[in-house]
Amino acid sequence: MQDAQISFTPAQQGQQIALGEQMTFAVVLSEADTAAVNWERGGFTVGQALSYDYVPDHLGLDTLRVFARAGDVARNYYWVITVGPGSTTLPPPVTGISAEAGPEAGEVLVSWARVTPTTYPIDEYVVAVSFDGPISAANWDAATELGRVPYRAGAVRPQDVYGAADGMIPGAAVWFAVRAVDTLDQLSPIVGNGYTVVTTGWWLSGTVLDDTDAELPGIVVSLVDPVRSTNTDLNGRFRIGPLRSIDRVVLRTTSSSENGFGWYDYTSAELDSVSGRDLVVRLIKRHELDDACNGYSQQFLTFLREMSITEYVATDPQSSVLHVWDDFPLRVHIPDVVVGEVDFGAAMRFAMAYWDSVMGESYFVETTDPAQAQLQCRFDESISGVYGRVSLLQPGGGTLGSVPLEKLQVFILSTIGTEKFARTVSLHELGHTLGLYNHVACGGGEYLMFEGLAGDTLDRLDPINPNERQAVQCLRRLPTGTDMRRYAIAN
Ligand SMILES: [Zn+2]
């Protein structure tokens, strides 16, 4: 009997195949009908028939071995098979990739839509970043892999956060690609990127002062979103951060509400990384109102609002906006008018010096140039029925307290018969120019700003009531344009 011959097909030992395809390898016999055959992959027997249908199960190199024996003849053979990606079996592309600011400054939150497996199960997602432009399949190798996120069927929108430790650079433009990885290590195609700019950090900072310029220690300064809180230091300083460059925050103070000792708390407008630096947060002290005053619910803030005409009226959103001078001293032009015994210019200069002296800082300075004057004095009989009146010269058309101040007229009736009363009226009218636009409605007590001005006002111990002085000092320190609704009676 002639010896059997054994050969193998395909004869070429290097083979290429794509995932999803299959290839048949066979033992070819001559002079024999049967043979004992053993096919092996990865050390395991995978078949014992004369032919074997090879189906790749991973990317890269694979080895298929076969042993065949027919009669006395035994042979073995092997093929090295390069497995490439099969276009039809790739995981579906990851869509809906979003990159946005993470919870902390310098962090990026990347999220994407869950992939539904098609051919093979999905193992995980791989996330990569580029600082140079969008990531495609072509430049995938140049992108930096950030990490892998395990696939969970229940995770509808998988996500991860990347920060400084992952190489995120504050202020840098970043592109993210996410690819699904199947159990064969195949990567899904890339159809889109997530793009953002990494947030930078900023610190909200400032000083809490009150209306007497005292630096306030131990005041709680807090934010709601994000929730942050700190206490001012011994110099009233505070610092909160780092916040994200995209954050717009509202600051609130919490201080003592004790009457006479505490402060009216403040809520800021929306602050950003520019407007939120080196703030001066001005609290209004809860000055005690005069014992004899039975108005204003014993609240200095209510007194201040009524005097400066900043009580909020629902029909007028601008009603609570404060209009006062920001820069002092005010330039005053004083004409020379002497009527009988009364030197009206001298009376006005007395009143200016009196305010400056009582307040301990300069409020008024005389100018000889009417064009430079912010307060233009007028001593004549052009207005009847009053001893004095302050009115707007510029801007025209507005009413005192409801428009920004440019130029005021200070009228004193020139038929006032005594210099003492001319001084008293001048003192009162200058009070109006300092933001006490209204008249005091205390029902008691001794106030300069009563409508029915007392002739003996200058004989009093305090011709200008402490509450009036406190209000003027406060109004000088509040920036014009302040919305007085930012201050609260209740803590
Ligand atoms: Zn008046």
Side-chain angles (χ1 to χ4, degrees):
M1 168 180 158
Q2 193 174 349
D3 282 344
Q5 290 187 6
I6 300 173
S7 59
F8 303 93
T9 181
Q12 188 174 342
Q13 287 183 285
Q15 291 292 328
Q16 292 199 336
I17 190 170
L19 284 171
E21 297 174 351
Q22 73 171 45
M23 183 180 282
T24 301
F25 295 82
V27 178
V28 180
L29 302 174
S30 63
E31 311 299 331
D33 294 328
T34 62
V37 177
N38 204 59
W39 299 90
E40 279 187 20
R41 285 172 71 178
F44 294 96
T45 296
V46 293
Q48 293 182 315
L50 285 174
S51 68
Y52 175 71
D53 291 332
Y54 176 90
V55 176
D57 62 4
H58 67 271
L59 283 172
L61 292 180
D62 196 7
T63 303
L64 175 66
R65 296 180 183 279
V66 62
F67 302 89
R69 178 186 297 277
D72 295 333
V73 180
R75 282 197 66 190
N76 61 55
Y77 207 70
Y78 69 93
W79 294 267
V80 173
I81 304 164
T82 303
V83 180
S87 61
T88 57
T89 71
L90 293 178
V94 177
T95 59
I97 302 170
S98 154
E100 59 196 293
E104 301 291 339
E107 289 183 341
V108 179
L109 170 69
V110 180
S111 64
W112 54 92
R114 175 185 57 197
V115 161
T116 302
T118 48
T119 312
Y120 301 105
I122 307 293
D123 256 355
E124 58 191 2
Y125 302 96
V126 57
V127 182
V129 66
S130 160
F131 295 93
D132 304 322
I135 302 170
S136 63
N139 65 15
W140 171 255
D141 290 340
T144 304
E145 182 178 326
L146 289 170
R148 302 209 166 210
V149 176
Y151 179 85
R152 291 190 195 88
V156 176
R157 197 151 180 91
Q159 64 176 57
D160 209 349
V161 173
Y162 304 100
D166 306 294
M168 294 300 116
I169 302 162
V174 277
W175 289 262
F176 294 89
V178 183
R179 307 180 78 171
V181 185
D182 68 15
T183 51
L184 277 56
D185 276 340
Q186 297 191 102
L187 296 174
S188 63
I190 298 173
V191 297
N193 278 210
Y195 169 79
T196 192
V197 173
V198 182
T199 56
T200 53
W202 64 283
W203 290 76
L204 181 77
S205 64
T207 307
V208 179
L209 304 173
D210 74 6
D211 52 357
T212 69
D213 284 337
E215 297 166 342
L216 305 183
I219 304 292
V220 177
V221 176
S222 56
L223 312 179
V224 172
D225 181 23
V227 176
R228 300 287 172 87
S229 182
T230 189
N231 285 280
T232 56
D233 68 14
L234 286 174
N235 302 115
R237 300 276 312 164
F238 66 89
R239 205 162 170 262
I240 295 177
L243 300 167
R244 305 172 303 172
S245 40
I246 59 163
D247 284 331
R248 304 285 179 271
V249 299
V250 170
L251 168 156
R252 290 185 175 84
T253 64
T254 306
S255 64
S256 164
S257 62
E258 192 183 330
N259 194 28
F261 172 79
W263 298 269
Y264 296 104
D265 279 313
Y266 175 79
T267 301
S268 77
E270 223 172 49
L271 301 167
D272 61 22
S273 60
V274 175
S275 62
R277 284 175 210 242
D278 298 325
L279 295 166
V280 172
V281 175
R282 189 71 75 166
L283 297 191
I284 298 173
K285 198 166 181 181
R286 291 176 181 262
H287 301 287
E288 280 185 279
L289 287 190
D290 196 303
D291 287 343
C293 178
N294 54 28
Y296 309 109
S297 310
Q298 279 298 308
Q299 293 290 345
F300 177 76
L301 182 58
T302 305
F303 171 77
L304 185 71
R305 284 172 170 160
E306 292 202 19
M307 291 306 291
S308 59
I309 313 185
T310 53
E311 308 114 293
Y312 180 63
V313 179
T315 51
D316 178 9
Q318 295 296 306
S319 55
S320 52
V321 175
L322 181 68
H323 296 289
V324 285
W325 302 104
D326 268 343
D327 295 309
F328 291 87
L330 302 177
R331 296 179 298 276
V332 187
H333 183 255
I334 304 170
D336 282 325
V337 176
V338 179
V339 178
E341 300 284 300
V342 183
D343 182 336
F344 284 87
M348 183 59 65
R349 290 182 191 100
F350 166 85
M352 290 160 57
Y354 195 95
W355 270 107
D356 286 1
S357 167
V358 164
M359 297 303 296
E361 54 190 350
S362 178
Y363 280 77
F364 302 104
V365 63
E366 186 170 352
T367 176
T368 54
D369 180 2
Q372 294 294 315
Q374 294 159 292
L375 305 183
Q376 175 60 57
C377 294
R378 180 169 184 171
F379 310 126
D380 57 23
E381 299 174 63
S382 58
I383 302 177
S384 59
V386 294
Y387 291 123
R389 171 163 294 169
V390 171
S391 50
L392 272 170
L393 288 178
Q394 294 165 17
T399 60
L400 210 52
S402 63
V403 291
L405 300 175
E406 291 173 34
K407 189 164 192 165
L408 301 180
Q409 174 179 275
V410 183
F411 164 80
I412 308 291
L413 183 67
S414 62
T415 56
I416 287 175
T418 69
E419 183 142 339
K420 181 178 179 185
F421 197 55
R423 290 179 171 192
T424 308
V425 174
S426 296
L427 200 62
H428 173 102
E429 298 307 329
L430 288 181
H432 284 315
T433 70
L434 297 178
L436 305 179
Y437 303 130
N438 218 332
H439 289 121
V440 173
C442 270
E446 295 182 330
Y447 288 86
L448 173 66
M449 302 311 289
F450 274 150
E451 189 160 20
L453 184 57
D456 66 350
T457 297
L458 283 175
D459 300 328
R460 296 172 183 163
L461 184 62
D462 272 325
I464 304 174
N465 186 284
N467 294 154
E468 294 167 326
R469 298 204 302 265
Q470 289 153 349
V472 166
Q473 184 182 36
C474 180
L475 293 174
R476 177 171 181 154
R477 281 154 182 79
L478 295 180
T480 193
T482 297
D483 186 340
M484 295 299 285
R485 276 185 298 166
R486 302 204 169 285
Y487 293 94
I489 299 271
N491 282 52

